[in-house]
Amino acid sequence: MRIEIWADVVCPWAYIGKRRLERALAGEGAEVVWRPYRIDPSAPAESVPLEDALAEPGAEEMLSACAPGLTPQDNRDRVALIAAEEGLGPSWGAAWRADTADAHRLIALAFEEGGAELQDAVVEGVLRAHFVEARNIGSGEVLADVAREAGFSAGPRLLEAGAGGELVRELLLTGKAMGVKTSPTFVVRGRALAGAQSSEAIVEFVRYAERQEVRELPEEVERLRRAESLLELRDPLGALVLLRPLLESQGEDRGVRSLAARAYFASAQLGRATRELERLVAENPDDSYARHLLGRTLQRRGLDGEAAAHLSLASVMTPGYTG
């Protein structure tokens, strides 16, 4: 059984959730895989002391939204108490506002290089460094130390070489397409449990997910569906990132090309959209949607005369397509 945890390593609930999951699964032998999520994507590339970050205008108001009814300090005290109850004390508290891009690269690379066991050791090291040791996990030196202590000897070299960036980007887009909206989110067989729930709730969730019938789909079908989800979420550039391997390996598949054409149109890559849609229409003149989208693309390019013929034919084939 595989359990995915979509989480950010600057989220205290990710560490608390990790401990609760470990207690819930004691002796189960499940494979736990960590996936990236960003709760602070606007964090500066160079880490800043958290005390300074909290003094910035609007910071306290933003944090108040995380725990309605509590002041930010009261909420931090509450989380520290809960962390201590989970065995994460006595020292607790982040000292840095850190960009987690490199930490996520290290974690993803650990799984690629050594599987779930190595990745877990790296995750534990990153979380401990941030929350217990108050170290700066935006620092390459700190992450290199974490990697070595976890037994991931290749980690520092891979980080320095910039490895893992595209992998993390794809994973972040995959999580978005799946509907992941909070850290942590536990996913088992397509079912999701949001938040650092109690160990009892996690056990109940895992048992429920295990009982559900799941239709396994080929990886390329899953990728196509997730790209379409991103397009529906108005992220056409993200959709194209997920489509890239399919365009390379299945570049003549009509479904892949049609989705790519829609993403090109939605991202204002009108030249690419035109070329792909012209091919689709030439291959299948009765495809009213492709013809309609071609007309709209030509319109946006200011080619009204060429657009009119396609829009007119599309509206005849499918009356709902007008103008």
Side-chain angles (χ1 to χ4, degrees), residues 286-323:
D286 294 334
D287 187 337
S288 61
Y289 178 76
R291 191 176 288 279
H292 174 72
L293 189 58
L294 176 57
R296 290 180 61 198
T297 303
L298 293 168
Q299 266 187 336
R300 287 180 64 181
R301 295 180 64 190
L303 303 173
D304 293 342
E306 296 179 41
H310 293 292
L311 293 172
S312 177
L313 279 172
S315 66
V316 170
M317 288 186 282
T318 304
Y321 294 146
T322 57

PDB file of all heavy atoms in Angstrom, residues 286-323:
ATOM      1  N   ASP A 286     -14.907  17.461 -40.427  1.00  0.00           N
ATOM      2  CA  ASP A 286     -16.175  17.460 -39.704  1.00  0.00           C
ATOM      3  C   ASP A 286     -16.017  17.747 -38.214  1.00  0.00           C
ATOM      4  O   ASP A 286     -17.008  17.731 -37.473  1.00  0.00           O
ATOM      5  CB  ASP A 286     -16.876  16.096 -39.867  1.00  0.00           C
ATOM      6  CG  ASP A 286     -17.303  15.839 -41.306  1.00  0.00           C
ATOM      7  OD1 ASP A 286     -17.520  16.824 -42.033  1.00  0.00           O
ATOM      8  OD2 ASP A 286     -17.403  14.655 -41.684  1.00  0.00           O
ATOM      9  N   ASP A 287     -14.811  17.994 -37.761  1.00  0.00           N
ATOM     10  CA  ASP A 287     -14.587  18.304 -36.347  1.00  0.00           C
ATOM     11  C   ASP A 287     -14.996  19.762 -36.109  1.00  0.00           C
ATOM     12  O   ASP A 287     -14.212  20.688 -36.300  1.00  0.00           O
ATOM     13  CB  ASP A 287     -13.111  18.093 -35.990  1.00  0.00           C
ATOM     14  CG  ASP A 287     -12.843  18.245 -34.490  1.00  0.00           C
ATOM     15  OD1 ASP A 287     -13.633  18.913 -33.803  1.00  0.00           O
ATOM     16  OD2 ASP A 287     -11.825  17.693 -34.014  1.00  0.00           O
ATOM     17  N   SER A 288     -16.229  19.936 -35.674  1.00  0.00           N
ATOM     18  CA  SER A 288     -16.756  21.293 -35.549  1.00  0.00           C
ATOM     19  C   SER A 288     -16.051  22.089 -34.459  1.00  0.00           C
ATOM     20  O   SER A 288     -15.883  23.305 -34.591  1.00  0.00           O
ATOM     21  CB  SER A 288     -18.264  21.256 -35.280  1.00  0.00           C
ATOM     22  OG  SER A 288     -18.547  20.574 -34.066  1.00  0.00           O
ATOM     23  N   TYR A 289     -15.648  21.404 -33.381  1.00  0.00           N
ATOM     24  CA  TYR A 289     -14.982  22.142 -32.305  1.00  0.00           C
ATOM     25  C   TYR A 289     -13.628  22.660 -32.775  1.00  0.00           C
ATOM     26  O   TYR A 289     -13.281  23.832 -32.529  1.00  0.00           O
ATOM     27  CB  TYR A 289     -14.796  21.283 -31.060  1.00  0.00           C
ATOM     28  CG  TYR A 289     -14.073  22.037 -29.967  1.00  0.00           C
ATOM     29  CD1 TYR A 289     -14.736  22.996 -29.218  1.00  0.00           C
ATOM     30  CD2 TYR A 289     -12.709  21.843 -29.739  1.00  0.00           C
ATOM     31  CE1 TYR A 289     -14.061  23.739 -28.240  1.00  0.00           C
ATOM     32  CE2 TYR A 289     -12.036  22.576 -28.770  1.00  0.00           C
ATOM     33  CZ  TYR A 289     -12.712  23.516 -28.020  1.00  0.00           C
ATOM     34  OH  TYR A 289     -12.050  24.259 -27.077  1.00  0.00           O
ATOM     35  N   ALA A 290     -12.840  21.800 -33.421  1.00  0.00           N
ATOM     36  CA  ALA A 290     -11.535  22.239 -33.910  1.00  0.00           C
ATOM     37  C   ALA A 290     -11.694  23.384 -34.905  1.00  0.00           C
ATOM     38  O   ALA A 290     -10.929  24.363 -34.879  1.00  0.00           O
ATOM     39  CB  ALA A 290     -10.791  21.075 -34.551  1.00  0.00           C
ATOM     40  N   ARG A 291     -12.692  23.297 -35.743  1.00  0.00           N
ATOM     41  CA  ARG A 291     -12.913  24.357 -36.729  1.00  0.00           C
ATOM     42  C   ARG A 291     -13.329  25.663 -36.036  1.00  0.00           C
ATOM     43  O   ARG A 291     -12.875  26.748 -36.390  1.00  0.00           O
ATOM     44  CB  ARG A 291     -13.963  23.921 -37.739  1.00  0.00           C
ATOM     45  CG  ARG A 291     -14.062  24.830 -38.950  1.00  0.00           C
ATOM     46  CD  ARG A 291     -15.056  24.295 -39.955  1.00  0.00           C
ATOM     47  NE  ARG A 291     -14.571  23.109 -40.648  1.00  0.00           N
ATOM     48  CZ  ARG A 291     -13.741  23.122 -41.686  1.00  0.00           C
ATOM     49  NH1 ARG A 291     -13.261  24.287 -42.125  1.00  0.00           N
ATOM     50  NH2 ARG A 291     -13.379  22.011 -42.275  1.00  0.00           N
ATOM     51  N   HIS A 292     -14.210  25.535 -35.039  1.00  0.00           N
ATOM     52  CA  HIS A 292     -14.649  26.716 -34.297  1.00  0.00           C
ATOM     53  C   HIS A 292     -13.472  27.374 -33.574  1.00  0.00           C
ATOM     54  O   HIS A 292     -13.308  28.609 -33.620  1.00  0.00           O
ATOM     55  CB  HIS A 292     -15.721  26.302 -33.277  1.00  0.00           C
ATOM     56  CG  HIS A 292     -16.146  27.395 -32.355  1.00  0.00           C
ATOM     57  ND1 HIS A 292     -16.916  28.465 -32.753  1.00  0.00           N
ATOM     58  CD2 HIS A 292     -15.891  27.596 -31.031  1.00  0.00           C
ATOM     59  CE1 HIS A 292     -17.130  29.266 -31.722  1.00  0.00           C
ATOM     60  NE2 HIS A 292     -16.516  28.765 -30.674  1.00  0.00           N
ATOM     61  N   LEU A 293     -12.635  26.552 -32.926  1.00  0.00           N
ATOM     62  CA  LEU A 293     -11.497  27.109 -32.204  1.00  0.00           C
ATOM     63  C   LEU A 293     -10.489  27.724 -33.171  1.00  0.00           C
ATOM     64  O   LEU A 293      -9.874  28.757 -32.870  1.00  0.00           O
ATOM     65  CB  LEU A 293     -10.831  26.034 -31.352  1.00  0.00           C
ATOM     66  CG  LEU A 293      -9.750  26.520 -30.380  1.00  0.00           C
ATOM     67  CD1 LEU A 293     -10.303  27.569 -29.420  1.00  0.00           C
ATOM     68  CD2 LEU A 293      -9.170  25.339 -29.588  1.00  0.00           C
ATOM     69  N   LEU A 294     -10.338  27.120 -34.349  1.00  0.00           N
ATOM     70  CA  LEU A 294      -9.466  27.704 -35.362  1.00  0.00           C
ATOM     71  C   LEU A 294      -9.984  29.082 -35.766  1.00  0.00           C
ATOM     72  O   LEU A 294      -9.209  30.043 -35.885  1.00  0.00           O
ATOM     73  CB  LEU A 294      -9.368  26.786 -36.575  1.00  0.00           C
ATOM     74  CG  LEU A 294      -8.556  27.322 -37.772  1.00  0.00           C
ATOM     75  CD1 LEU A 294      -7.125  27.669 -37.343  1.00  0.00           C
ATOM     76  CD2 LEU A 294      -8.550  26.295 -38.905  1.00  0.00           C
ATOM     77  N   GLY A 295     -11.300  29.181 -35.944  1.00  0.00           N
ATOM     78  CA  GLY A 295     -11.880  30.477 -36.296  1.00  0.00           C
ATOM     79  C   GLY A 295     -11.630  31.518 -35.214  1.00  0.00           C
ATOM     80  O   GLY A 295     -11.263  32.662 -35.504  1.00  0.00           O
ATOM     81  N   ARG A 296     -11.805  31.130 -33.977  1.00  0.00           N
ATOM     82  CA  ARG A 296     -11.579  32.072 -32.870  1.00  0.00           C
ATOM     83  C   ARG A 296     -10.105  32.478 -32.785  1.00  0.00           C
ATOM     84  O   ARG A 296      -9.779  33.627 -32.485  1.00  0.00           O
ATOM     85  CB  ARG A 296     -12.028  31.445 -31.557  1.00  0.00           C
ATOM     86  CG  ARG A 296     -13.547  31.284 -31.426  1.00  0.00           C
ATOM     87  CD  ARG A 296     -13.915  30.660 -30.108  1.00  0.00           C
ATOM     88  NE  ARG A 296     -13.478  31.505 -28.986  1.00  0.00           N
ATOM     89  CZ  ARG A 296     -13.360  31.071 -27.728  1.00  0.00           C
ATOM     90  NH1 ARG A 296     -13.605  29.784 -27.444  1.00  0.00           N
ATOM     91  NH2 ARG A 296     -12.987  31.885 -26.772  1.00  0.00           N
ATOM     92  N   THR A 297      -9.230  31.493 -33.063  1.00  0.00           N
ATOM     93  CA  THR A 297      -7.791  31.800 -33.037  1.00  0.00           C
ATOM     94  C   THR A 297      -7.441  32.810 -34.121  1.00  0.00           C
ATOM     95  O   THR A 297      -6.716  33.787 -33.882  1.00  0.00           O
ATOM     96  CB  THR A 297      -6.973  30.513 -33.225  1.00  0.00           C
ATOM     97  OG1 THR A 297      -7.324  29.570 -32.205  1.00  0.00           O
ATOM     98  CG2 THR A 297      -5.481  30.802 -33.152  1.00  0.00           C
ATOM     99  N   LEU A 298      -7.968  32.593 -35.313  1.00  0.00           N
ATOM    100  CA  LEU A 298      -7.702  33.516 -36.418  1.00  0.00           C
ATOM    101  C   LEU A 298      -8.281  34.895 -36.130  1.00  0.00           C
ATOM    102  O   LEU A 298      -7.671  35.920 -36.466  1.00  0.00           O
ATOM    103  CB  LEU A 298      -8.267  32.943 -37.714  1.00  0.00           C
ATOM    104  CG  LEU A 298      -7.575  31.667 -38.216  1.00  0.00           C
ATOM    105  CD1 LEU A 298      -8.383  31.025 -39.336  1.00  0.00           C
ATOM    106  CD2 LEU A 298      -6.152  31.982 -38.685  1.00  0.00           C
ATOM    107  N   GLN A 299      -9.444  34.928 -35.489  1.00  0.00           N
ATOM    108  CA  GLN A 299     -10.031  36.204 -35.084  1.00  0.00           C
ATOM    109  C   GLN A 299      -9.079  36.980 -34.173  1.00  0.00           C
ATOM    110  O   GLN A 299      -8.860  38.178 -34.339  1.00  0.00           O
ATOM    111  CB  GLN A 299     -11.350  35.971 -34.342  1.00  0.00           C
ATOM    112  CG  GLN A 299     -12.601  36.033 -35.193  1.00  0.00           C
ATOM    113  CD  GLN A 299     -13.852  35.970 -34.332  1.00  0.00           C
ATOM    114  OE1 GLN A 299     -13.838  35.466 -33.212  1.00  0.00           O
ATOM    115  NE2 GLN A 299     -14.954  36.462 -34.880  1.00  0.00           N
ATOM    116  N   ARG A 300      -8.534  36.268 -33.177  1.00  0.00           N
ATOM    117  CA  ARG A 300      -7.647  36.929 -32.222  1.00  0.00           C
ATOM    118  C   ARG A 300      -6.364  37.415 -32.889  1.00  0.00           C
ATOM    119  O   ARG A 300      -5.720  38.330 -32.391  1.00  0.00           O
ATOM    120  CB  ARG A 300      -7.314  35.991 -31.066  1.00  0.00           C
ATOM    121  CG  ARG A 300      -8.479  35.792 -30.105  1.00  0.00           C
ATOM    122  CD  ARG A 300      -8.137  34.857 -28.964  1.00  0.00           C
ATOM    123  NE  ARG A 300      -7.087  35.381 -28.098  1.00  0.00           N
ATOM    124  CZ  ARG A 300      -6.613  34.732 -27.036  1.00  0.00           C
ATOM    125  NH1 ARG A 300      -7.094  33.531 -26.727  1.00  0.00           N
ATOM    126  NH2 ARG A 300      -5.652  35.259 -26.300  1.00  0.00           N
ATOM    127  N   ARG A 301      -6.039  36.821 -34.011  1.00  0.00           N
ATOM    128  CA  ARG A 301      -4.860  37.263 -34.754  1.00  0.00           C
ATOM    129  C   ARG A 301      -5.195  38.386 -35.730  1.00  0.00           C
ATOM    130  O   ARG A 301      -4.319  38.863 -36.447  1.00  0.00           O
ATOM    131  CB  ARG A 301      -4.244  36.080 -35.503  1.00  0.00           C
ATOM    132  CG  ARG A 301      -3.690  34.985 -34.597  1.00  0.00           C
ATOM    133  CD  ARG A 301      -3.093  33.843 -35.397  1.00  0.00           C
ATOM    134  NE  ARG A 301      -1.943  34.272 -36.172  1.00  0.00           N
ATOM    135  CZ  ARG A 301      -1.342  33.530 -37.097  1.00  0.00           C
ATOM    136  NH1 ARG A 301      -1.793  32.301 -37.358  1.00  0.00           N
ATOM    137  NH2 ARG A 301      -0.304  33.996 -37.758  1.00  0.00           N
ATOM    138  N   GLY A 302      -6.458  38.784 -35.757  1.00  0.00           N
ATOM    139  CA  GLY A 302      -6.875  39.859 -36.649  1.00  0.00           C
ATOM    140  C   GLY A 302      -7.145  39.406 -38.071  1.00  0.00           C
ATOM    141  O   GLY A 302      -7.304  40.231 -38.964  1.00  0.00           O
ATOM    142  N   LEU A 303      -7.236  38.099 -38.292  1.00  0.00           N
ATOM    143  CA  LEU A 303      -7.485  37.549 -39.632  1.00  0.00           C
ATOM    144  C   LEU A 303      -8.973  37.238 -39.771  1.00  0.00           C
ATOM    145  O   LEU A 303      -9.393  36.085 -39.912  1.00  0.00           O
ATOM    146  CB  LEU A 303      -6.631  36.301 -39.848  1.00  0.00           C
ATOM    147  CG  LEU A 303      -5.115  36.514 -39.669  1.00  0.00           C
ATOM    148  CD1 LEU A 303      -4.370  35.184 -39.737  1.00  0.00           C
ATOM    149  CD2 LEU A 303      -4.590  37.479 -40.739  1.00  0.00           C
ATOM    150  N   ASP A 304      -9.790  38.288 -39.736  1.00  0.00           N
ATOM    151  CA  ASP A 304     -11.240  38.108 -39.686  1.00  0.00           C
ATOM    152  C   ASP A 304     -11.799  37.414 -40.919  1.00  0.00           C
ATOM    153  O   ASP A 304     -12.754  36.629 -40.820  1.00  0.00           O
ATOM    154  CB  ASP A 304     -11.928  39.461 -39.505  1.00  0.00           C
ATOM    155  CG  ASP A 304     -11.635  40.072 -38.146  1.00  0.00           C
ATOM    156  OD1 ASP A 304     -11.207  39.325 -37.241  1.00  0.00           O
ATOM    157  OD2 ASP A 304     -11.817  41.291 -37.988  1.00  0.00           O
ATOM    158  N   GLY A 305     -11.231  37.686 -42.080  1.00  0.00           N
ATOM    159  CA  GLY A 305     -11.739  37.068 -43.296  1.00  0.00           C
ATOM    160  C   GLY A 305     -11.569  35.559 -43.274  1.00  0.00           C
ATOM    161  O   GLY A 305     -12.511  34.809 -43.586  1.00  0.00           O
ATOM    162  N   GLU A 306     -10.382  35.093 -42.890  1.00  0.00           N
ATOM    163  CA  GLU A 306     -10.142  33.653 -42.804  1.00  0.00           C
ATOM    164  C   GLU A 306     -10.966  33.023 -41.688  1.00  0.00           C
ATOM    165  O   GLU A 306     -11.462  31.904 -41.821  1.00  0.00           O
ATOM    166  CB  GLU A 306      -8.653  33.380 -42.548  1.00  0.00           C
ATOM    167  CG  GLU A 306      -7.731  33.821 -43.681  1.00  0.00           C
ATOM    168  CD  GLU A 306      -6.285  33.556 -43.348  1.00  0.00           C
ATOM    169  OE1 GLU A 306      -6.004  32.475 -42.776  1.00  0.00           O
ATOM    170  OE2 GLU A 306      -5.433  34.419 -43.648  1.00  0.00           O
ATOM    171  N   ALA A 307     -11.116  33.755 -40.601  1.00  0.00           N
ATOM    172  CA  ALA A 307     -11.864  33.225 -39.456  1.00  0.00           C
ATOM    173  C   ALA A 307     -13.324  32.997 -39.798  1.00  0.00           C
ATOM    174  O   ALA A 307     -13.929  32.012 -39.371  1.00  0.00           O
ATOM    175  CB  ALA A 307     -11.753  34.187 -38.274  1.00  0.00           C
ATOM    176  N   ALA A 308     -13.909  33.892 -40.573  1.00  0.00           N
ATOM    177  CA  ALA A 308     -15.357  33.856 -40.833  1.00  0.00           C
ATOM    178  C   ALA A 308     -15.790  32.542 -41.465  1.00  0.00           C
ATOM    179  O   ALA A 308     -16.829  31.977 -41.098  1.00  0.00           O
ATOM    180  CB  ALA A 308     -15.747  35.036 -41.719  1.00  0.00           C
ATOM    181  N   ALA A 309     -14.997  32.031 -42.405  1.00  0.00           N
ATOM    182  CA  ALA A 309     -15.381  30.791 -43.088  1.00  0.00           C
ATOM    183  C   ALA A 309     -15.430  29.625 -42.104  1.00  0.00           C
ATOM    184  O   ALA A 309     -16.371  28.823 -42.124  1.00  0.00           O
ATOM    185  CB  ALA A 309     -14.390  30.500 -44.207  1.00  0.00           C
ATOM    186  N   HIS A 310     -14.439  29.526 -41.236  1.00  0.00           N
ATOM    187  CA  HIS A 310     -14.402  28.430 -40.261  1.00  0.00           C
ATOM    188  C   HIS A 310     -15.526  28.567 -39.231  1.00  0.00           C
ATOM    189  O   HIS A 310     -16.185  27.579 -38.877  1.00  0.00           O
ATOM    190  CB  HIS A 310     -13.045  28.399 -39.568  1.00  0.00           C
ATOM    191  CG  HIS A 310     -11.919  28.019 -40.474  1.00  0.00           C
ATOM    192  ND1 HIS A 310     -11.784  26.756 -41.011  1.00  0.00           N
ATOM    193  CD2 HIS A 310     -10.877  28.757 -40.945  1.00  0.00           C
ATOM    194  CE1 HIS A 310     -10.695  26.711 -41.766  1.00  0.00           C
ATOM    195  NE2 HIS A 310     -10.131  27.918 -41.738  1.00  0.00           N
ATOM    196  N   LEU A 311     -15.756  29.782 -38.763  1.00  0.00           N
ATOM    197  CA  LEU A 311     -16.814  29.996 -37.766  1.00  0.00           C
ATOM    198  C   LEU A 311     -18.187  29.698 -38.347  1.00  0.00           C
ATOM    199  O   LEU A 311     -19.051  29.131 -37.673  1.00  0.00           O
ATOM    200  CB  LEU A 311     -16.752  31.430 -37.238  1.00  0.00           C
ATOM    201  CG  LEU A 311     -15.510  31.770 -36.407  1.00  0.00           C
ATOM    202  CD1 LEU A 311     -15.464  33.267 -36.112  1.00  0.00           C
ATOM    203  CD2 LEU A 311     -15.505  30.976 -35.098  1.00  0.00           C
ATOM    204  N   SER A 312     -18.375  30.057 -39.597  1.00  0.00           N
ATOM    205  CA  SER A 312     -19.662  29.802 -40.246  1.00  0.00           C
ATOM    206  C   SER A 312     -19.909  28.305 -40.408  1.00  0.00           C
ATOM    207  O   SER A 312     -20.996  27.799 -40.090  1.00  0.00           O
ATOM    208  CB  SER A 312     -19.688  30.496 -41.612  1.00  0.00           C
ATOM    209  OG  SER A 312     -20.898  30.209 -42.286  1.00  0.00           O
ATOM    210  N   LEU A 313     -18.891  27.575 -40.869  1.00  0.00           N
ATOM    211  CA  LEU A 313     -19.039  26.126 -41.030  1.00  0.00           C
ATOM    212  C   LEU A 313     -19.256  25.440 -39.686  1.00  0.00           C
ATOM    213  O   LEU A 313     -20.080  24.528 -39.563  1.00  0.00           O
ATOM    214  CB  LEU A 313     -17.803  25.551 -41.717  1.00  0.00           C
ATOM    215  CG  LEU A 313     -17.736  25.667 -43.241  1.00  0.00           C
ATOM    216  CD1 LEU A 313     -16.374  25.246 -43.749  1.00  0.00           C
ATOM    217  CD2 LEU A 313     -18.836  24.829 -43.896  1.00  0.00           C
ATOM    218  N   ALA A 314     -18.534  25.884 -38.683  1.00  0.00           N
ATOM    219  CA  ALA A 314     -18.684  25.290 -37.360  1.00  0.00           C
ATOM    220  C   ALA A 314     -20.088  25.491 -36.824  1.00  0.00           C
ATOM    221  O   ALA A 314     -20.675  24.581 -36.219  1.00  0.00           O
ATOM    222  CB  ALA A 314     -17.667  25.886 -36.395  1.00  0.00           C
ATOM    223  N   SER A 315     -20.666  26.673 -37.041  1.00  0.00           N
ATOM    224  CA  SER A 315     -22.016  26.944 -36.536  1.00  0.00           C
ATOM    225  C   SER A 315     -23.074  26.151 -37.283  1.00  0.00           C
ATOM    226  O   SER A 315     -24.122  25.819 -36.727  1.00  0.00           O
ATOM    227  CB  SER A 315     -22.321  28.439 -36.621  1.00  0.00           C
ATOM    228  OG  SER A 315     -22.387  28.877 -37.967  1.00  0.00           O
ATOM    229  N   VAL A 316     -22.813  25.826 -38.554  1.00  0.00           N
ATOM    230  CA  VAL A 316     -23.743  24.979 -39.305  1.00  0.00           C
ATOM    231  C   VAL A 316     -23.708  23.548 -38.773  1.00  0.00           C
ATOM    232  O   VAL A 316     -24.748  22.905 -38.582  1.00  0.00           O
ATOM    233  CB  VAL A 316     -23.394  25.005 -40.809  1.00  0.00           C
ATOM    234  CG1 VAL A 316     -24.196  23.932 -41.567  1.00  0.00           C
ATOM    235  CG2 VAL A 316     -23.675  26.380 -41.409  1.00  0.00           C
ATOM    236  N   MET A 317     -22.499  23.036 -38.499  1.00  0.00           N
ATOM    237  CA  MET A 317     -22.363  21.675 -37.998  1.00  0.00           C
ATOM    238  C   MET A 317     -22.853  21.557 -36.555  1.00  0.00           C
ATOM    239  O   MET A 317     -23.466  20.553 -36.181  1.00  0.00           O
ATOM    240  CB  MET A 317     -20.896  21.247 -38.082  1.00  0.00           C
ATOM    241  CG  MET A 317     -20.417  20.995 -39.514  1.00  0.00           C
ATOM    242  SD  MET A 317     -18.719  20.321 -39.569  1.00  0.00           S
ATOM    243  CE  MET A 317     -17.751  21.800 -39.279  1.00  0.00           C
ATOM    244  N   THR A 318     -22.583  22.576 -35.748  1.00  0.00           N
ATOM    245  CA  THR A 318     -23.006  22.582 -34.351  1.00  0.00           C
ATOM    246  C   THR A 318     -23.609  23.955 -34.056  1.00  0.00           C
ATOM    247  O   THR A 318     -22.866  24.923 -33.830  1.00  0.00           O
ATOM    248  CB  THR A 318     -21.811  22.323 -33.407  1.00  0.00           C
ATOM    249  OG1 THR A 318     -21.189  21.086 -33.769  1.00  0.00           O
ATOM    250  CG2 THR A 318     -22.271  22.251 -31.948  1.00  0.00           C
ATOM    251  N   PRO A 319     -24.944  24.061 -34.088  1.00  0.00           N
ATOM    252  CA  PRO A 319     -25.596  25.368 -33.955  1.00  0.00           C
ATOM    253  C   PRO A 319     -25.183  26.156 -32.710  1.00  0.00           C
ATOM    254  O   PRO A 319     -25.289  27.372 -32.701  1.00  0.00           O
ATOM    255  CB  PRO A 319     -27.087  24.995 -33.902  1.00  0.00           C
ATOM    256  CG  PRO A 319     -27.169  23.742 -34.703  1.00  0.00           C
ATOM    257  CD  PRO A 319     -25.909  22.988 -34.381  1.00  0.00           C
ATOM    258  N   GLY A 320     -24.722  25.470 -31.687  1.00  0.00           N
ATOM    259  CA  GLY A 320     -24.303  26.182 -30.476  1.00  0.00           C
ATOM    260  C   GLY A 320     -23.068  27.028 -30.677  1.00  0.00           C
ATOM    261  O   GLY A 320     -22.800  27.941 -29.875  1.00  0.00           O
ATOM    262  N   TYR A 321     -22.292  26.757 -31.724  1.00  0.00           N
ATOM    263  CA  TYR A 321     -21.101  27.542 -32.003  1.00  0.00           C
ATOM    264  C   TYR A 321     -21.478  28.746 -32.840  1.00  0.00           C
ATOM    265  O   TYR A 321     -21.768  28.622 -34.041  1.00  0.00           O
ATOM    266  CB  TYR A 321     -20.050  26.715 -32.750  1.00  0.00           C
ATOM    267  CG  TYR A 321     -19.465  25.587 -31.950  1.00  0.00           C
ATOM    268  CD1 TYR A 321     -19.091  24.392 -32.553  1.00  0.00           C
ATOM    269  CD2 TYR A 321     -19.269  25.710 -30.567  1.00  0.00           C
ATOM    270  CE1 TYR A 321     -18.523  23.349 -31.827  1.00  0.00           C
ATOM    271  CE2 TYR A 321     -18.719  24.686 -29.832  1.00  0.00           C
ATOM    272  CZ  TYR A 321     -18.351  23.497 -30.461  1.00  0.00           C
ATOM    273  OH  TYR A 321     -17.815  22.489 -29.735  1.00  0.00           O
ATOM    274  N   THR A 322     -21.500  29.901 -32.231  1.00  0.00           N
ATOM    275  CA  THR A 322     -21.849  31.119 -32.953  1.00  0.00           C
ATOM    276  C   THR A 322     -20.777  32.158 -32.734  1.00  0.00           C
ATOM    277  O   THR A 322     -20.298  32.341 -31.622  1.00  0.00           O
ATOM    278  CB  THR A 322     -23.188  31.693 -32.474  1.00  0.00           C
ATOM    279  OG1 THR A 322     -23.117  31.935 -31.064  1.00  0.00           O
ATOM    280  CG2 THR A 322     -24.330  30.726 -32.765  1.00  0.00           C
ATOM    281  N   GLY A 323     -20.392  32.841 -33.791  1.00  0.00           N
ATOM    282  CA  GLY A 323     -19.467  33.974 -33.725  1.00  0.00           C
ATOM    283  C   GLY A 323     -18.108  33.670 -33.198  1.00  0.00           C
ATOM    284  O   GLY A 323     -17.792  32.617 -32.773  1.00  0.00           O
TER     285      GLY A 323
END
